[in-house]
Amino acid sequence: MAQPPHRPGQRDLTTGPIASALLAFALPTLGSNVLQSMNGSINAIWVGRFLGEGAIAATSNTNIIMFLMFGAVFGFGMAATILVGQSWGRRDVDSARRAFGSAIGLVIGTAIVVAALGWAFAPDILRALATPGDALPLAQTYLRVIFLGLPASMVLVLVFMGLRGTGDSLTPLWFMGLSVVLDAGLNPLLIAGLGPFPRMGIAGSATATLIANVVAVAAVAAYIHLRDLPLRLKGSELRYLLPERALVRTILAKGLPIGAQMIVISVAGLTMVGLVNRHGIETVAAYGITLQLWAYIQMPALAIGAAVSAMAAQNIGAARWDRVARITRAGLFYNVVMTGALVAAVLLFERPVFALFVGGHSPALPIARHISLIATWSFILFGATMVLFGVVRANGAVLGPLVILFVAMFPVRLGVALALKPLLGVDALWWSFPAGSAANLLLASLFYRYGGWRKGALYVPASPEPEQEAGTVLEPVGTLRPVR
């Protein structure tokens, strides 16, 4: 079978040792995730030090909202990543480009609509969250500017996901680094008006993020074109940016349930924020900085889950089902080792880390440490769930994880928070996190073992105008079936 040309950073994940390939693919993804989290934390430090605890509370409320908006378009990107990965595993480069182009077109259109609605309804959204009065004006200003940058940030994430589908986890790392350097560097300049820059307050932090994402999108697009990477679109291929009807149906059929999973998580998070907001600004600030810490702790799990999904998708596309179970076991092992080690380190050194955000004498500091002690360990369970979900999603099984997440987030997590509140007070909110994570893992394990996700295969519908390039192999992909 003809092999498409490989570029630096790309990996064929269908051959060779599994454990070492998984680790080599996951580490750059982990680096990207750590950089992204560092960016958020550095920005939170600038906001907290320049503008105070009210601004921290405002950004924590806004970040949860943006996660919800992100879920509205993230599913399209994940569906495209699965299609790209399976197409790449079959060495069908044209199908990978068609899926990627259609997803880009869908995401740009959706993000523009979401951004416009978010700008218009920002005050209503924040009031519905019971955002503290002191933080409301700041949160509204910050949220509206962040909404303006939503299209660029969504396209950047989608490009990174598509590249990982082809086995390239290094390119996203470099351009995530560019975005982080710009964002973190511009934050203090625009917040405080240093040098020739205007003093914009909390809007300056959001504007720095907007500028960084726009520059990074332009730079990575130019890089993909100049290096002729597999997902580059040029000449007649630019028509792929106008989504094909058949591809839209496929992406929507898989992407909407994945997006709904993000929305379930977001709504649960928003509900939790609403409950936390009723306990005063110190507790809100403590929860906000705890979320910053948790963003780091979940990074290994997310990186391993992404690597497992990319490896599984390529192997399913290549009909290498004998390797999929081994990929799952390797992912679970690495999650326990990496996430467990990070949880232990964080619990040992959490006081100086929390003090970076609010200072060593803030009343929010002991509250944040108490939250972390109760709930942080549950991210080991979260990581195992991400591995299992990553494998089943690689074959287009998205409804099972959606139902599992809904049950774990609402009847379990929020149910525990409300049921135990008369007995434990505010601690019931923190204990609900381990309860939800345990339920999530139990149900995900049962679905992985007994669910029907192995049947069938996801594929890119035939192009209405097939054009075969040199080095591209087009195969009857709809006939692939798993070997059990």
Side-chain angles (χ1 to χ4, degrees):
M1 179 181 293
Q3 298 287 323
H6 278 235
R7 304 293 191 273
Q10 292 172 229
R11 290 182 177 273
D12 179 1
L13 304 175
T14 63
T15 60
I18 287 174
S20 59
L22 177 63
L23 186 62
F25 185 85
L27 287 178
T29 304
L30 175 60
S32 298
N33 292 341
V34 169
L35 283 174
Q36 188 174 28
S37 293
M38 283 180 61
N39 184 43
S41 298
I42 292 170
N43 292 351
I45 291 171
W46 290 128
V47 168
R49 290 302 178 96
F50 279 115
L51 303 173
E53 292 177 356
I56 286 283
T59 58
S60 67
N61 276 256
T62 298
N63 289 337
I64 292 290
I65 294 167
M66 291 313 301
F67 189 72
L68 175 61
M69 299 300 102
F70 180 78
V73 294
F74 176 78
F76 300 154
M78 181 61 74
T81 300
I82 295 168
L83 290 168
V84 167
Q86 290 199 13
S87 297
W88 186 251
R90 291 187 292 269
R91 305 299 183 262
D92 186 348
V93 180
D94 189 65
S95 289
R97 289 173 180 164
R98 287 171 49 222
F100 180 70
S102 288
I104 287 284
L106 279 173
V107 164
I108 290 175
T110 304
I112 290 172
V113 172
V114 171
L117 292 174
W119 172 276
F121 293 104
D124 305 284
I125 295 170
L126 292 168
R127 280 194 291 270
L129 283 176
T131 303
D134 292 345
L136 185 58
L138 293 172
Q140 179 175 316
T141 299
Y142 184 83
L143 180 59
R144 280 185 156 165
V145 179
I146 287 292
F147 267 122
L148 289 178
L150 185 66
S153 64
M154 292 299 100
V155 170
L156 187 64
V157 169
L158 178 58
V159 171
F160 289 170
M161 293 168 68
L163 289 169
R164 291 183 185 119
T166 67
D168 182 358
S169 58
L170 284 174
T171 299
L173 175 62
W174 307 137
F175 287 95
M176 177 59 71
L178 172 64
S179 176
V180 168
V181 168
L182 288 173
D183 196 356
L186 287 172
N187 249 267
L189 302 179
L190 294 175
I191 290 173
L194 302 178
F197 296 91
R199 181 169 184 168
M200 301 176 66
I202 198 168
S205 179
T207 302
T209 301
L210 186 156
I211 293 171
N213 285 332
V214 169
V215 171
V217 166
V220 73
Y223 180 84
I224 289 171
H225 182 78
L226 292 173
R227 296 297 300 270
D228 197 32
L229 297 186
L231 295 184
R232 65 100 178 95
L233 302 176
K234 65 181 180 181
S236 63
E237 294 169 338
L238 291 174
R239 74 184 190 279
Y240 295 164
L241 292 172
L242 298 175
E244 299 173 21
R245 182 175 300 177
L247 269 171
V248 168
R249 286 198 298 265
T250 302
I251 292 173
L252 289 178
K254 301 302 179 182
L256 287 177
I258 295 173
Q261 293 167 27
M262 300 290 291
I263 292 172
V264 166
I265 296 171
S266 301
V267 171
L270 289 170
T271 305
M272 186 63 65
V273 167
L275 295 174
V276 173
N277 282 344
R278 289 162 173 80
H279 291 274
I281 197 164
E282 287 84 8
T283 301
V284 174
Y287 184 58
I289 61 176
T290 303
L291 291 177
Q292 290 287 337
L293 187 63
W294 287 350
Y296 286 101
I297 294 173
Q298 68 183 349
M299 288 302 103
L302 295 175
I304 295 167
V308 163
S309 189
M311 287 191 72
Q314 285 198 22
N315 281 274
I316 291 169
R320 294 296 310 272
W321 280 88
D322 57 301
R323 292 168 56 89
V324 173
R326 293 160 57 199
I327 291 169
T328 306
R329 289 194 295 271
L332 292 171
F333 171 77
Y334 281 131
N335 168 69
V336 171
V337 172
M338 296 171 67
T339 305
L342 189 56
V343 166
V346 163
L347 291 177
L348 286 174
F349 301 104
E350 61 183 4
R351 180 182 177 85
V353 173
F354 283 138
L356 286 173
F357 296 96
V358 292
H361 302 290
S362 170
L365 183 60
I367 301 173
R369 296 183 65 198
H370 182 67
I371 297 170
S372 179
L373 183 63
I374 291 175
T376 295
W377 65 272
S378 66
F379 280 92
I380 299 173
L381 309 181
F382 165 83
T385 304
M386 290 301 99
V387 170
L388 297 177
F389 280 176
V391 174
V392 302
R393 285 172 182 156
N395 202 36
V398 293
L399 291 178
L402 173 59
V403 173
I404 289 169
L405 278 173
F406 182 86
V407 171
M409 292 294 106
F410 289 98
V412 178
R413 193 172 92 177
L414 293 178
V416 166
L418 295 174
L420 295 183
K421 193 172 182 181
L423 179 64
L424 300 178
V426 70
D427 279 358
L429 303 182
W430 322 137
W431 280 110
S432 70
F433 285 93
S437 295
N440 219 0
L441 177 57
L442 174 61
L443 295 174
S445 300
L446 292 173
F447 183 76
Y448 177 83
R449 177 65 180 86
Y450 300 107
W453 63 273
R454 295 173 180 84
K455 298 177 182 178
L458 194 62
Y459 66 95
V460 177
S463 174
E465 298 177 10
E467 294 183 7
Q468 185 168 338
E469 297 182 0
T472 299
V473 179
L474 302 177
E475 300 179 355
V477 298
T479 61
L480 293 177
R481 291 294 183 270
V483 178
R484 302 190 67 178

